[in-house]
mmCIF file of all heavy atoms in Angstrom:
data_model
loop_
_atom_site.group_PDB
_atom_site.id
_atom_site.type_symbol
_atom_site.label_atom_id
_atom_site.label_comp_id
_atom_site.label_asym_id
_atom_site.label_seq_id
_atom_site.Cartn_x
_atom_site.Cartn_y
_atom_site.Cartn_z
ATOM 1 N N LYS J 1 121.476 158.031 54.489
ATOM 2 C CA LYS J 1 120.135 158.310 55.069
ATOM 3 C C LYS J 1 119.966 159.761 55.426
ATOM 4 O O LYS J 1 118.986 160.442 55.140
ATOM 5 C CB LYS J 1 119.807 157.420 56.253
ATOM 6 C CG LYS J 1 119.440 155.990 55.946
ATOM 7 C CD LYS J 1 119.045 155.308 57.230
ATOM 8 C CE LYS J 1 118.659 153.862 56.964
ATOM 9 N NZ LYS J 1 118.291 153.131 58.205
ATOM 10 N N ILE J 2 120.977 160.288 56.149
ATOM 11 C CA ILE J 2 120.913 161.719 56.575
ATOM 12 C C ILE J 2 120.923 162.687 55.415
ATOM 13 O O ILE J 2 120.188 163.633 55.326
ATOM 14 C CB ILE J 2 122.068 161.984 57.542
ATOM 15 C CG1 ILE J 2 121.879 161.199 58.856
ATOM 16 C CG2 ILE J 2 122.136 163.450 57.908
ATOM 17 C CD1 ILE J 2 123.065 161.281 59.824
ATOM 18 N N GLN J 3 121.809 162.347 54.455
ATOM 19 C CA GLN J 3 121.909 163.208 53.260
ATOM 20 C C GLN J 3 120.646 163.185 52.407
ATOM 21 O O GLN J 3 120.193 164.222 51.923
ATOM 22 C CB GLN J 3 123.125 162.820 52.436
ATOM 23 C CG GLN J 3 124.450 163.164 53.083
ATOM 24 C CD GLN J 3 125.669 162.678 52.339
ATOM 25 O OE1 GLN J 3 125.536 161.893 51.391
ATOM 26 N NE2 GLN J 3 126.853 163.136 52.686
ATOM 27 N N SER J 4 120.033 162.020 52.338
ATOM 28 C CA SER J 4 118.815 161.879 51.561
ATOM 29 C C SER J 4 117.687 162.728 52.274
ATOM 30 O O SER J 4 116.833 163.421 51.660
ATOM 31 C CB SER J 4 118.340 160.452 51.520
ATOM 32 O OG SER J 4 119.249 159.692 50.819
ATOM 33 N N HIS J 5 117.679 162.642 53.598
ATOM 34 C CA HIS J 5 116.645 163.421 54.423
ATOM 35 C C HIS J 5 116.845 164.919 54.243
ATOM 36 O O HIS J 5 115.879 165.711 54.080
ATOM 37 C CB HIS J 5 116.738 163.067 55.851
ATOM 38 C CG HIS J 5 115.800 163.831 56.722
ATOM 39 N ND1 HIS J 5 116.229 164.958 57.422
ATOM 40 C CD2 HIS J 5 114.480 163.688 57.003
ATOM 41 C CE1 HIS J 5 115.190 165.473 58.039
ATOM 42 N NE2 HIS J 5 114.104 164.729 57.829
ATOM 43 N N GLU J 6 118.158 165.317 54.239
ATOM 44 C CA GLU J 6 118.441 166.766 54.060
ATOM 45 C C GLU J 6 118.058 167.283 52.694
ATOM 46 O O GLU J 6 117.671 168.436 52.502
ATOM 47 C CB GLU J 6 119.991 167.009 54.312
ATOM 48 C CG GLU J 6 120.404 166.790 55.746
ATOM 49 C CD GLU J 6 119.888 167.868 56.649
ATOM 50 O OE1 GLU J 6 119.761 168.999 56.279
ATOM 51 O OE2 GLU J 6 119.383 167.434 57.840
ATOM 52 N N MET J 7 118.183 166.396 51.697
ATOM 53 C CA MET J 7 117.852 166.804 50.333
ATOM 54 C C MET J 7 116.252 167.015 50.190
ATOM 55 O O MET J 7 115.856 167.859 49.347
ATOM 56 C CB MET J 7 118.263 165.757 49.327
ATOM 57 C CG MET J 7 119.801 165.733 49.141
ATOM 58 S SD MET J 7 120.357 164.391 48.056
ATOM 59 C CE MET J 7 119.616 164.897 46.473
ATOM 60 N N LYS J 8 115.501 166.285 50.964
ATOM 61 C CA LYS J 8 114.083 166.457 50.945
ATOM 62 C C LYS J 8 113.662 167.847 51.393
ATOM 63 O O LYS J 8 112.663 168.460 51.030
ATOM 64 C CB LYS J 8 113.378 165.370 51.791
ATOM 65 C CG LYS J 8 113.494 163.981 51.192
ATOM 66 C CD LYS J 8 112.793 163.013 52.127
ATOM 67 C CE LYS J 8 112.936 161.569 51.581
ATOM 68 N NZ LYS J 8 112.421 160.588 52.583
ATOM 69 N N ASN J 9 114.400 168.245 52.523
ATOM 70 C CA ASN J 9 114.131 169.623 53.075
ATOM 71 C C ASN J 9 112.657 169.809 53.479
ATOM 72 O O ASN J 9 112.010 170.839 53.208
ATOM 73 C CB ASN J 9 114.486 170.704 52.041
ATOM 74 C CG ASN J 9 114.666 172.053 52.752
ATOM 75 O OD1 ASN J 9 114.970 172.130 53.926
ATOM 76 N ND2 ASN J 9 114.515 173.139 51.950
ATOM 77 N N ASP J 10 112.117 168.745 54.079
ATOM 78 C CA ASP J 10 110.684 168.786 54.459
ATOM 79 C C ASP J 10 110.454 169.166 55.893
ATOM 80 O O ASP J 10 109.327 169.294 56.402
ATOM 81 C CB ASP J 10 110.041 167.369 54.250
ATOM 82 C CG ASP J 10 110.763 166.236 54.973
ATOM 83 O OD1 ASP J 10 111.626 166.598 55.771
ATOM 84 O OD2 ASP J 10 110.382 165.099 54.780
ATOM 85 N N GLY J 11 111.558 169.331 56.673
ATOM 86 C CA GLY J 11 111.476 169.834 58.023
ATOM 87 C C GLY J 11 110.975 168.782 58.975
ATOM 88 O O GLY J 11 110.765 169.104 60.210
ATOM 89 N N GLN J 12 110.879 167.539 58.570
ATOM 90 C CA GLN J 12 110.386 166.502 59.468
ATOM 91 C C GLN J 12 111.565 165.799 60.215
ATOM 92 O O GLN J 12 111.752 164.611 60.185
ATOM 93 C CB GLN J 12 109.647 165.388 58.638
ATOM 94 C CG GLN J 12 108.529 165.919 57.792
ATOM 95 C CD GLN J 12 107.387 166.528 58.649
ATOM 96 O OE1 GLN J 12 107.101 165.907 59.729
ATOM 97 N NE2 GLN J 12 106.787 167.621 58.248
ATOM 98 N N ILE J 13 112.279 166.658 60.947
ATOM 99 C CA ILE J 13 113.485 166.131 61.618
ATOM 100 C C ILE J 13 113.157 165.214 62.781
ATOM 101 O O ILE J 13 113.838 164.222 62.997
ATOM 102 C CB ILE J 13 114.359 167.312 62.110
ATOM 103 C CG1 ILE J 13 115.668 166.830 62.757
ATOM 104 C CG2 ILE J 13 113.613 168.221 63.092
ATOM 105 C CD1 ILE J 13 116.573 166.078 61.809
ATOM 106 N N PHE J 14 112.068 165.514 63.462
ATOM 107 C CA PHE J 14 111.709 164.690 64.631
ATOM 108 C C PHE J 14 111.240 163.242 64.190
ATOM 109 O O PHE J 14 111.527 162.309 64.888
ATOM 110 C CB PHE J 14 110.658 165.318 65.499
ATOM 111 C CG PHE J 14 111.137 166.618 66.155
ATOM 112 C CD1 PHE J 14 110.685 167.819 65.716
ATOM 113 C CD2 PHE J 14 112.059 166.511 67.214
ATOM 114 C CE1 PHE J 14 111.206 169.018 66.304
ATOM 115 C CE2 PHE J 14 112.536 167.718 67.812
ATOM 116 C CZ PHE J 14 112.120 168.944 67.392
ATOM 117 N N GLU J 15 110.558 163.265 63.030
ATOM 118 C CA GLU J 15 110.155 161.921 62.508
ATOM 119 C C GLU J 15 111.327 161.106 62.112
ATOM 120 O O GLU J 15 111.454 159.907 62.294
ATOM 121 C CB GLU J 15 109.190 162.193 61.327
ATOM 122 C CG GLU J 15 107.791 162.557 61.714
ATOM 123 C CD GLU J 15 107.680 164.030 62.045
ATOM 124 O OE1 GLU J 15 108.788 164.742 61.942
ATOM 125 O OE2 GLU J 15 106.619 164.555 62.254
ATOM 126 N N PHE J 16 112.323 161.837 61.544
ATOM 127 C CA PHE J 16 113.555 161.148 61.158
ATOM 128 C C PHE J 16 114.301 160.598 62.333
ATOM 129 O O PHE J 16 114.785 159.424 62.310
ATOM 130 C CB PHE J 16 114.428 162.148 60.315
ATOM 131 C CG PHE J 16 115.752 161.497 59.871
ATOM 132 C CD1 PHE J 16 115.827 160.693 58.703
ATOM 133 C CD2 PHE J 16 116.939 161.628 60.607
ATOM 134 C CE1 PHE J 16 117.042 160.124 58.347
ATOM 135 C CE2 PHE J 16 118.095 161.096 60.193
ATOM 136 C CZ PHE J 16 118.125 160.327 59.125
ATOM 137 N N LEU J 17 114.441 161.368 63.343
ATOM 138 C CA LEU J 17 115.121 160.973 64.523
ATOM 139 C C LEU J 17 114.439 159.794 65.219
ATOM 140 O O LEU J 17 115.044 158.842 65.663
ATOM 141 C CB LEU J 17 115.225 162.089 65.556
ATOM 142 C CG LEU J 17 116.112 163.298 65.172
ATOM 143 C CD1 LEU J 17 115.965 164.431 66.235
ATOM 144 C CD2 LEU J 17 117.517 162.858 65.047
ATOM 145 N N ASP J 18 113.074 159.828 65.206
ATOM 146 C CA ASP J 18 112.316 158.701 65.845
ATOM 147 C C ASP J 18 112.490 157.438 65.019
ATOM 148 O O ASP J 18 112.554 156.313 65.551
ATOM 149 C CB ASP J 18 110.848 159.136 65.926
ATOM 150 C CG ASP J 18 110.031 158.100 66.669
ATOM 151 O OD1 ASP J 18 110.398 157.895 67.854
ATOM 152 O OD2 ASP J 18 109.084 157.528 66.110
ATOM 153 N N GLY J 19 112.554 157.528 63.741
ATOM 154 C CA GLY J 19 112.639 156.377 62.838
ATOM 155 C C GLY J 19 114.028 155.783 62.774
ATOM 156 O O GLY J 19 114.208 154.691 62.295
ATOM 157 N N ASN J 20 115.026 156.552 63.230
ATOM 158 C CA ASN J 20 116.411 156.033 63.226
ATOM 159 C C ASN J 20 117.105 156.067 64.598
ATOM 160 O O ASN J 20 118.340 156.283 64.691
ATOM 161 C CB ASN J 20 117.220 156.905 62.207
ATOM 162 C CG ASN J 20 116.766 156.755 60.809
ATOM 163 O OD1 ASN J 20 117.141 155.836 60.086
ATOM 164 N ND2 ASN J 20 115.917 157.652 60.332
ATOM 165 N N LYS J 21 116.345 155.830 65.641
ATOM 166 C CA LYS J 21 116.813 155.891 66.990
ATOM 167 C C LYS J 21 117.956 154.855 67.177
ATOM 168 O O LYS J 21 118.992 155.199 67.812
ATOM 169 C CB LYS J 21 115.694 155.581 67.960
ATOM 170 C CG LYS J 21 114.722 156.823 68.144
ATOM 171 C CD LYS J 21 113.762 156.518 69.348
ATOM 172 C CE LYS J 21 112.858 155.302 69.013
ATOM 173 N NZ LYS J 21 111.812 155.143 70.021
ATOM 174 N N GLU J 22 117.707 153.635 66.706
ATOM 175 C CA GLU J 22 118.725 152.587 66.897
ATOM 176 C C GLU J 22 120.055 152.906 66.181
ATOM 177 O O GLU J 22 121.143 152.704 66.754
ATOM 178 C CB GLU J 22 118.158 151.282 66.451
ATOM 179 C CG GLU J 22 117.041 150.719 67.285
ATOM 180 C CD GLU J 22 117.475 150.499 68.764
ATOM 181 O OE1 GLU J 22 118.649 150.073 68.978
ATOM 182 O OE2 GLU J 22 116.704 150.840 69.668
ATOM 183 N N ALA J 23 119.943 153.438 64.959
ATOM 184 C CA ALA J 23 121.156 153.743 64.206
ATOM 185 C C ALA J 23 121.909 154.888 64.872
ATOM 186 O O ALA J 23 123.142 154.871 64.920
ATOM 187 C CB ALA J 23 120.739 154.149 62.765
ATOM 188 N N LEU J 24 121.199 155.893 65.378
ATOM 189 C CA LEU J 24 121.880 157.002 66.021
ATOM 190 C C LEU J 24 122.515 156.579 67.336
ATOM 191 O O LEU J 24 123.550 157.065 67.713
ATOM 192 C CB LEU J 24 120.852 158.147 66.286
ATOM 193 C CG LEU J 24 120.279 158.743 65.092
ATOM 194 C CD1 LEU J 24 119.160 159.770 65.402
ATOM 195 C CD2 LEU J 24 121.356 159.437 64.193
ATOM 196 N N LYS J 25 121.867 155.689 68.029
ATOM 197 C CA LYS J 25 122.432 155.130 69.277
ATOM 198 C C LYS J 25 123.695 154.344 68.960
ATOM 199 O O LYS J 25 124.740 154.416 69.643
ATOM 200 C CB LYS J 25 121.398 154.210 69.966
ATOM 201 C CG LYS J 25 121.927 153.557 71.267
ATOM 202 C CD LYS J 25 120.868 152.604 71.812
ATOM 203 C CE LYS J 25 121.449 151.908 73.089
ATOM 204 N NZ LYS J 25 120.490 150.911 73.637
ATOM 205 N N SER J 26 123.609 153.505 67.915
ATOM 206 C CA SER J 26 124.793 152.708 67.465
ATOM 207 C C SER J 26 125.909 153.592 67.038
ATOM 208 O O SER J 26 127.127 153.250 67.278
ATOM 209 C CB SER J 26 124.382 151.819 66.347
ATOM 210 O OG SER J 26 123.436 150.836 66.652
ATOM 211 N N PHE J 27 125.616 154.797 66.485
ATOM 212 C CA PHE J 27 126.707 155.744 66.046
ATOM 213 C C PHE J 27 127.543 156.072 67.291
ATOM 214 O O PHE J 27 128.826 156.014 67.223
ATOM 215 C CB PHE J 27 126.117 156.932 65.466
ATOM 216 C CG PHE J 27 127.099 158.061 65.298
ATOM 217 C CD1 PHE J 27 127.873 158.092 64.151
ATOM 218 C CD2 PHE J 27 127.273 159.073 66.269
ATOM 219 C CE1 PHE J 27 128.875 159.150 64.007
ATOM 220 C CE2 PHE J 27 128.179 160.098 66.105
ATOM 221 C CZ PHE J 27 128.985 160.109 64.960
ATOM 222 N N HIS J 28 126.923 156.382 68.386
ATOM 223 C CA HIS J 28 127.673 156.794 69.596
ATOM 224 C C HIS J 28 128.400 155.571 70.206
ATOM 225 O O HIS J 28 129.539 155.804 70.757
ATOM 226 C CB HIS J 28 126.712 157.454 70.588
ATOM 227 C CG HIS J 28 126.193 158.741 70.119
ATOM 228 N ND1 HIS J 28 126.925 159.898 69.995
ATOM 229 C CD2 HIS J 28 124.929 159.086 69.662
ATOM 230 C CE1 HIS J 28 126.162 160.864 69.501
ATOM 231 N NE2 HIS J 28 124.968 160.400 69.325
ATOM 232 N N GLU J 29 127.778 154.424 70.153
ATOM 233 C CA GLU J 29 128.425 153.214 70.678
ATOM 234 C C GLU J 29 129.690 152.878 69.875
ATOM 235 O O GLU J 29 130.764 152.539 70.452
ATOM 236 C CB GLU J 29 127.470 152.018 70.639
ATOM 237 C CG GLU J 29 126.325 152.214 71.708
ATOM 238 C CD GLU J 29 125.298 151.130 71.566
ATOM 239 O OE1 GLU J 29 125.321 150.344 70.541
ATOM 240 O OE2 GLU J 29 124.398 151.009 72.477
ATOM 241 N N TRP J 30 129.601 152.875 68.618
ATOM 242 C CA TRP J 30 130.680 152.614 67.690
ATOM 243 C C TRP J 30 131.751 153.622 67.936
ATOM 244 O O TRP J 30 132.961 153.292 68.032
ATOM 245 C CB TRP J 30 130.263 152.689 66.231
ATOM 246 C CG TRP J 30 129.804 151.450 65.630
ATOM 247 C CD1 TRP J 30 128.538 151.147 65.211
ATOM 248 C CD2 TRP J 30 130.532 150.279 65.409
ATOM 249 N NE1 TRP J 30 128.472 149.831 64.668
ATOM 250 C CE2 TRP J 30 129.693 149.273 64.803
ATOM 251 C CE3 TRP J 30 131.887 149.892 65.639
ATOM 252 C CZ2 TRP J 30 130.075 148.010 64.449
ATOM 253 C CZ3 TRP J 30 132.318 148.613 65.276
ATOM 254 C CH2 TRP J 30 131.433 147.695 64.722
ATOM 255 N N ARG J 31 131.433 154.904 68.028
ATOM 256 C CA ARG J 31 132.410 155.959 68.220
ATOM 257 C C ARG J 31 133.230 155.816 69.530
ATOM 258 O O ARG J 31 134.430 155.880 69.547
ATOM 259 C CB ARG J 31 131.719 157.304 68.235
ATOM 260 C CG ARG J 31 132.663 158.534 68.366
ATOM 261 C CD ARG J 31 131.931 159.849 68.170
ATOM 262 N NE ARG J 31 132.842 160.944 68.361
ATOM 263 C CZ ARG J 31 133.017 161.525 69.621
ATOM 264 N NH1 ARG J 31 132.323 161.136 70.610
ATOM 265 N NH2 ARG J 31 133.881 162.547 69.690
ATOM 266 N N ALA J 32 132.532 155.456 70.586
ATOM 267 C CA ALA J 32 133.141 155.274 71.863
ATOM 268 C C ALA J 32 134.123 154.132 71.826
ATOM 269 O O ALA J 32 135.271 154.190 72.305
ATOM 270 C CB ALA J 32 132.135 155.076 72.935
ATOM 271 N N LYS J 33 133.667 153.012 71.199
ATOM 272 C CA LYS J 33 134.517 151.805 71.081
ATOM 273 C C LYS J 33 135.755 152.044 70.252
ATOM 274 O O LYS J 33 136.907 151.699 70.653
ATOM 275 C CB LYS J 33 133.707 150.638 70.494
ATOM 276 C CG LYS J 33 134.467 149.359 70.243
ATOM 277 C CD LYS J 33 133.643 148.346 69.572
ATOM 278 C CE LYS J 33 134.425 147.063 69.315
ATOM 279 N NZ LYS J 33 133.601 146.034 68.650
ATOM 280 N N LEU J 34 135.615 152.702 69.134
ATOM 281 C CA LEU J 34 136.734 152.941 68.214
ATOM 282 C C LEU J 34 137.709 153.932 68.767
ATOM 283 O O LEU J 34 138.889 153.850 68.530
ATOM 284 C CB LEU J 34 136.231 153.311 66.852
ATOM 285 C CG LEU J 34 135.603 152.197 66.029
ATOM 286 C CD1 LEU J 34 134.767 152.771 64.862
ATOM 287 C CD2 LEU J 34 136.665 151.261 65.506
ATOM 288 N N ARG J 35 137.208 154.989 69.468
ATOM 289 C CA ARG J 35 138.088 155.970 70.044
ATOM 290 C C ARG J 35 138.987 155.294 71.160
ATOM 291 O O ARG J 35 140.144 155.620 71.275
ATOM 292 C CB ARG J 35 137.230 157.088 70.694
ATOM 293 C CG ARG J 35 136.793 158.152 69.650
ATOM 294 C CD ARG J 35 135.802 159.075 70.281
ATOM 295 N NE ARG J 35 136.318 159.861 71.375
ATOM 296 C CZ ARG J 35 136.987 160.965 71.290
ATOM 297 N NH1 ARG J 35 137.175 161.560 70.038
ATOM 298 N NH2 ARG J 35 137.403 161.665 72.317
ATOM 299 N N GLU J 36 138.397 154.404 71.930
ATOM 300 C CA GLU J 36 139.167 153.723 72.943
ATOM 301 C C GLU J 36 140.256 152.791 72.280
ATOM 302 O O GLU J 36 141.406 152.863 72.685
ATOM 303 C CB GLU J 36 138.256 152.799 73.772
ATOM 304 C CG GLU J 36 138.990 152.052 74.864
ATOM 305 C CD GLU J 36 138.098 151.094 75.657
ATOM 306 O OE1 GLU J 36 136.877 151.160 75.442
ATOM 307 O OE2 GLU J 36 138.640 150.395 76.550
ATOM 308 N N LEU J 37 139.896 152.122 71.233
ATOM 309 C CA LEU J 37 140.841 151.279 70.515
ATOM 310 C C LEU J 37 141.949 152.055 69.928
ATOM 311 O O LEU J 37 143.159 151.744 69.899
ATOM 312 C CB LEU J 37 140.138 150.413 69.482
ATOM 313 C CG LEU J 37 139.396 149.225 69.930
ATOM 314 C CD1 LEU J 37 138.572 148.565 68.838
ATOM 315 C CD2 LEU J 37 140.333 148.133 70.548
ATOM 316 N N LEU J 38 141.511 153.225 69.318
ATOM 317 C CA LEU J 38 142.522 154.147 68.669
ATOM 318 C C LEU J 38 143.553 154.651 69.648
ATOM 319 O O LEU J 38 144.739 154.706 69.343
ATOM 320 C CB LEU J 38 141.806 155.273 67.975
ATOM 321 C CG LEU J 38 142.680 156.203 67.132
ATOM 322 C CD1 LEU J 38 143.273 155.427 65.881
ATOM 323 C CD2 LEU J 38 141.833 157.414 66.661
ATOM 324 N N PHE J 39 143.049 154.926 70.838
ATOM 325 C CA PHE J 39 143.935 155.503 71.888
ATOM 326 C C PHE J 39 144.932 154.381 72.372
ATOM 327 O O PHE J 39 146.117 154.638 72.524
ATOM 328 C CB PHE J 39 143.101 155.936 73.107
ATOM 329 C CG PHE J 39 143.941 156.354 74.310
ATOM 330 C CD1 PHE J 39 144.568 157.635 74.310
ATOM 331 C CD2 PHE J 39 144.099 155.489 75.367
ATOM 332 C CE1 PHE J 39 145.341 158.001 75.439
ATOM 333 C CE2 PHE J 39 144.863 155.835 76.438
ATOM 334 C CZ PHE J 39 145.494 157.171 76.484
ATOM 335 N N LYS J 40 144.415 153.134 72.536
ATOM 336 C CA LYS J 40 145.284 152.031 72.991
ATOM 337 C C LYS J 40 146.306 151.640 71.929
ATOM 338 O O LYS J 40 147.418 151.247 72.250
ATOM 339 C CB LYS J 40 144.383 150.817 73.367
ATOM 340 C CG LYS J 40 143.601 151.020 74.637
ATOM 341 C CD LYS J 40 142.746 149.807 74.910
ATOM 342 C CE LYS J 40 141.974 149.957 76.280
ATOM 343 N NZ LYS J 40 141.125 148.812 76.533
ATOM 344 N N VAL J 41 145.867 151.672 70.661
ATOM 345 C CA VAL J 41 146.774 151.223 69.597
ATOM 346 C C VAL J 41 147.980 152.278 69.395
ATOM 347 O O VAL J 41 149.070 151.864 69.115
ATOM 348 C CB VAL J 41 146.001 151.065 68.263
ATOM 349 C CG1 VAL J 41 146.936 150.928 67.113
ATOM 350 C CG2 VAL J 41 145.107 149.836 68.370
ATOM 351 N N ASP J 42 147.610 153.535 69.521
ATOM 352 C CA ASP J 42 148.522 154.579 69.175
ATOM 353 C C ASP J 42 148.418 154.840 67.625
ATOM 354 O O ASP J 42 148.835 154.030 66.873
ATOM 355 C CB ASP J 42 150.005 154.344 69.528
ATOM 356 C CG ASP J 42 150.859 155.513 69.243
ATOM 357 O OD1 ASP J 42 150.412 156.570 68.665
ATOM 358 O OD2 ASP J 42 152.102 155.423 69.515
#
């Protein structure tokens, strides 16, 4: 999705962020969860 938006080069970054709020939120949730597991696993 991000790469497709970058290829358009239409400057509508705020519209993109608004339309993908849940996905961007999930990115940080996934990252926090996996970083914790990676630390515990070694």
Side-chain angles (χ1 to χ4, degrees):
K1 282 184 180 180
I2 294 173
Q3 290 177 346
S4 299
H5 176 265
E6 290 294 319
M7 289 175 66
K8 291 178 183 177
N9 198 25
D10 56 8
Q12 304 297 320
I13 184 64
F14 294 106
E15 286 79 357
F16 178 82
L17 292 174
D18 188 59
N20 294 275
K21 285 187 296 187
E22 291 302 318
L24 296 173
K25 179 183 176 183
S26 295
F27 169 84
H28 294 289
E29 290 174 349
W30 270 114
R31 181 172 177 269
K33 176 182 178 180
L34 286 165
R35 279 169 63 86
E36 181 183 356
L37 282 171
L38 186 64
F39 175 79
K40 289 180 177 178
V41 167
D42 183 359

